Amino acid sequence: AAAAAAAAAAAAADGWSIDWDKVEEVASRDKVKAMVINSPMNPLGKMFSKEELQRLIVLAEKHSLLIISDEVYEALNFSTSTHLSTSAVAAEMGRNTDRILSIFSAGKLFSVTGWKTGWTVSSNKQIIDAMQAIHQYIMFTLPTPTQRALAVALDTATTTTTTTTTTTTT
């Protein structure tokens, strides 16, 4: 978390470019165990480029850091850039994705922030199992209407995306 905070602080002063020397210095500290990436960033909307994500992935691997990729604003894109998932970029690079957790939010995705519903994706079963064990004690219920509404929203979004893609490609 400290490495990403250092990157954000350095970036603010330099047109949102990453101070790689500072990130490397912070990431190399013994106490640093994770890097949080927020892309698109709230509140400024900065999205990391493919090259920036690739470099952060390599840096995290070099220092055995877990990457927590906060991608809850993936659909709120007001620029010409395309959102890139950290896990997808790592997989495309042929890198191990076991140390990447990608976090998403139905509330942000469907503009219903009161739902407070989201999910985490990782190829690391051990981390997901640990998260589930913790989750059972901090979240006792998700109202049935919210679960059903989320299912319909996800099905509709998938159908709409598939239909749009099919229409576009034919």
Side-chain angles (χ1 to χ4, degrees):
D14 189 33
W16 289 101
S17 63
I18 296 175
D19 180 342
W20 293 105
D21 292 332
K22 183 67 176 175
V23 174
E24 175 71 38
E25 186 268 316
V26 172
S28 66
R29 295 177 186 165
D30 288 340
K31 291 184 177 183
V32 176
K33 304 297 179 202
M35 174 186 304
V36 177
I37 299 173
N38 179 227
S39 182
M41 286 183 185
N42 182 18
L44 299 178
K46 157 71 175 170
M47 285 193 293
F48 287 111
S49 69
K50 185 175 187 176
E51 293 74 23
E52 289 170 322
L53 288 173
Q54 289 172 332
R55 198 160 171 188
L56 288 167
I57 290 163
V58 170
L59 183 74
E61 271 185 8
K62 176 181 175 184
H63 297 289
S64 299
L65 302 178
L66 180 69
I67 295 177
I68 302 166
S69 185
D70 178 350
E71 302 180 35
V72 300
Y73 292 105
E74 65 174 323
L76 298 177
N77 180 359
F78 303 106
S79 73
T80 56
S81 300
T82 301
H83 170 261
L84 299 170
S85 176
T86 306
S87 293
V89 172
E92 184 180 287
M93 294 169 66
R95 302 291 182 152
N96 186 343
T97 59
D98 282 356
R99 297 186 60 84
I100 301 174
L101 297 172
S102 297
I103 302 170
F104 301 91
S105 167
K108 302 293 190 278
L109 183 62
F110 299 113
S111 300
V112 285
T113 54
W115 283 9
K116 303 296 183 209
T117 306
W119 57 92
T120 300
V121 177
S122 179
S123 61
N124 187 322
K125 183 177 176 354
Q126 193 173 18
I127 290 175
I128 294 297
D129 287 348
M131 290 179 68
Q132 287 177 330
I134 293 167
H135 190 262
Q136 72 182 355
Y137 294 107
I138 59 172
M139 182 68 186
F140 293 100
T141 183
L142 179 61
T144 301
T146 303
Q147 292 179 43
R148 291 186 181 192
L150 176 57
V152 168
L154 288 170
D155 285 344
T156 302
T158 302
T159 303
T160 304
T161 302
T162 303
T163 303
T164 304
T165 303
T166 304
T167 305
T168 305
T169 57
T170 55

